[in-house]
Amino acid sequence: MNELDAAILGIIQGLTEFLPVSSSGHLELGKAILGDNSIPSESLLFTVILHAATALSTIVVFRKDVVEIFKGLFQFKWNDEFKFSLKIVISMIPAAVIGVFFEEELESLFGGNIIFVGFMLIITALLLWLADKAKNTFKPVSYSNAFVIGVSQAIAILPGISRSGATISTSVLLGNDKTKAARFSFLMVVPLILGKIAKDLIDGNLMESTTSFSVLAIGFIASFIAGLAACTWMISIVKKSKLSYFAIYCFIAGIVSIGVAYYN
C-alpha cells in the first residue's frame, strides 16, 4: 500500500463511517480494488487507524455531547447526564468482550474476503429494510436497549455489517426515536475505538506494524478531514432519508461484490 492508496481509503472511511453502508466493508472492497495484499493483522491495523480518525472527527463535531458524557460519569449524581453516560458504558460491553477475547479470529476476516463482505452487506440491507418499516416514536434509549444495541455493535465488527446501520436499525426496531438513535449510535463508538487504540499501544501492536508511518499518517489525516465534512452534513441525511434507500444500495453492493469475487 502506498500513500495514494492510503489517502483514497482514508476518504472512503471518512465518507462511509456516518452512513449505514459499512465503512469497514467498503474499506475491504477498496483494498481489493487497489490490489492491497496486506496480511490480515496489518489490514485490521490500518482499518483501526482510520476508524480512530473518524472517531476523532466525531469528538470534534459532538464535542459538547462528549463533554456532557464525561461530566456525567464523574459527577456521580443520578441526573440525565450520568444516566446517558451509563448507557454508553453499557453499550460498550459486548463489543469490548468480543474485541478482547476474539481478536485473532477477527483479524482473519480483514484479509480481502470479498464474498464474505458481500453477504454481510446483504444482511445490512435486510436490517435497514426492516428498520425502515418500523414506526418512528419519541421513546428514548433505555438501559436494556443500550445493551441490545451494544450487541448489534459487536456483531457489526464484521466487515460488511454497517455499525451505524446495525445500531440505528436495532434501536428503531426496539421502538426508539430515530434522531435519538442516530445520536446514541455515533457517540457510543467513540470510547470503544479509543479503547482499542489504547490496548494496541499498551500491547505494542502499533509499534510492531510493518506498515510505514507515512501510509498510516496520510490515511489518518484523509479519514479525519473526510469525516469532519461527512459528520456535519451526512448525519442529517441519515436522520431524514428513508433507510430503504441505503438498504437498496447495500443489497446491490453485496450482490456485485459476490459476483465479482466469484468470477475472478
Side-chain angles (χ1 to χ4, degrees):
M1 184 187 303
N2 57 39
E3 285 77 4
L4 178 60
D5 293 341
I8 293 172
L9 293 173
I11 292 171
I12 291 174
Q13 162 64 22
L15 293 178
T16 58
E17 173 64 24
F18 302 101
L19 289 177
V21 295
S22 178
S23 59
S24 60
H26 279 73
L27 278 180
E28 291 304 300
L29 294 176
K31 291 172 187 176
I33 293 172
L34 294 172
D36 175 38
N37 295 316
S38 300
I39 61 175
S41 59
E42 295 293 330
S43 184
L44 179 58
L45 168 65
F46 185 72
T47 300
V48 170
I49 291 296
L50 297 191
H51 276 80
T54 48
L56 182 59
S57 66
T58 304
I59 292 174
V60 173
V61 174
F62 286 98
R63 53 191 177 277
K64 292 182 180 179
D65 297 88
V66 173
V67 170
E68 284 185 6
I69 290 174
F70 278 101
K71 283 184 177 179
L73 281 175
F74 295 106
Q75 282 179 348
F76 300 105
K77 297 179 181 178
W78 198 248
N79 51 26
D80 290 339
E81 290 78 11
F82 184 82
K83 292 176 183 177
F84 185 80
S85 303
L86 185 58
K87 292 172 186 176
I88 293 291
V89 172
I90 291 172
S91 73
M92 293 167 51
I93 295 173
V97 171
I98 296 296
V100 170
F101 293 103
F102 298 96
E103 185 172 11
E104 291 184 4
E105 288 80 1
L106 288 173
E107 285 181 356
S108 66
L109 298 174
F110 286 80
N113 191 339
I114 303 306
I115 292 179
F116 179 82
V117 171
F119 279 111
M120 294 303 101
L121 282 170
I122 292 173
I123 292 176
T124 294
L126 177 61
L127 278 173
L128 294 172
W129 184 81
L130 289 173
D132 190 60
K133 302 301 177 183
K135 184 179 179 181
N136 194 25
T137 68
F138 294 99
K139 176 185 172 184
V141 177
S142 66
Y143 296 105
S144 59
N145 289 165
F147 183 79
V148 175
I149 297 169
V151 171
S152 69
Q153 176 169 251
I155 296 172
I157 294 175
L158 299 174
I161 298 291
S162 167
R163 193 204 63 81
S164 61
T167 53
I168 292 173
S169 295
T170 300
S171 187
V172 172
L173 290 171
L174 289 171
N176 300 134
D177 175 69
K178 188 183 294 185
T179 300
K180 292 183 175 68
R183 175 173 174 263
F184 189 80
S185 171
F186 292 127
L187 287 171
M188 66 188 285
V189 73
V190 173
L192 200 63
I193 292 178
L194 296 181
K196 169 63 177 172
I197 293 294
K199 179 180 180 298
D200 285 343
L201 285 172
I202 293 172
D203 294 342
N205 293 339
L206 296 182
M207 301 303 177
E208 295 174 0
S209 171
T210 58
T211 304
S212 69
F213 176 79
S214 62
V215 167
L216 294 176
I218 290 175
F220 182 93
I221 293 170
S223 184
F224 174 71
I225 295 174
L228 278 179
C231 198
T232 55
W233 57 271
M234 285 191 181
I235 290 176
S236 62
I237 295 177
V238 174
K239 294 178 182 178
K240 297 175 182 178
S241 294
K242 290 186 176 181
L243 294 176
S244 58
Y245 298 152
F246 298 107
I248 294 171
Y249 171 81
C250 287
F251 181 78
I252 294 174
I255 293 296
V256 171
S257 299
I258 294 170
V260 170
Y262 181 78
Y263 286 107
N264 284 343

